[in-house]
Amino acid sequence: LRDEMEKLPGHGERISLAYRALLSREPDPEEVAALESYLAARADRPREGIEQILWAIMAGAEARFNH
């Protein structure tokens, strides 16, 4: 999933793919804004930023209790 996300041109597209793949839904606007900011702050290490948001989504309550 990380490799597929890296191929996408924008943070919004990457975040949307992560949510669809991990939670089977589109992210809320607030989620997109928070994660876009997170990825932008890690522009010097985008791979690690992507990995971190994937772990955060998987470790969240929604993934643990609903999936």
Side-chain angles (χ1 to χ4, degrees):
L1 180 57
R2 179 200 60 214
D3 293 339
E4 292 302 314
M5 290 174 69
E6 285 183 312
K7 294 176 188 175
L8 296 173
H11 293 318
E13 293 169 309
R14 292 172 178 171
I15 295 163
S16 183
L17 175 59
Y19 270 76
R20 285 193 318 268
L22 298 174
L23 300 177
S24 301
R25 69 171 178 86
E26 288 294 327
D28 295 331
E30 298 84 16
E31 293 166 330
V32 172
L35 293 177
E36 281 180 331
S37 175
Y38 186 86
L39 290 174
R42 282 142 189 86
D44 61 327
R45 50 191 194 282
R47 179 172 276 241
E48 288 81 4
I50 289 171
E51 290 172 351
Q52 291 164 354
I53 67 166
L54 290 172
W55 277 112
I57 294 168
M58 288 188 292
E62 183 175 350
R64 286 184 290 138
F65 296 110
N66 294 340
H67 297 278

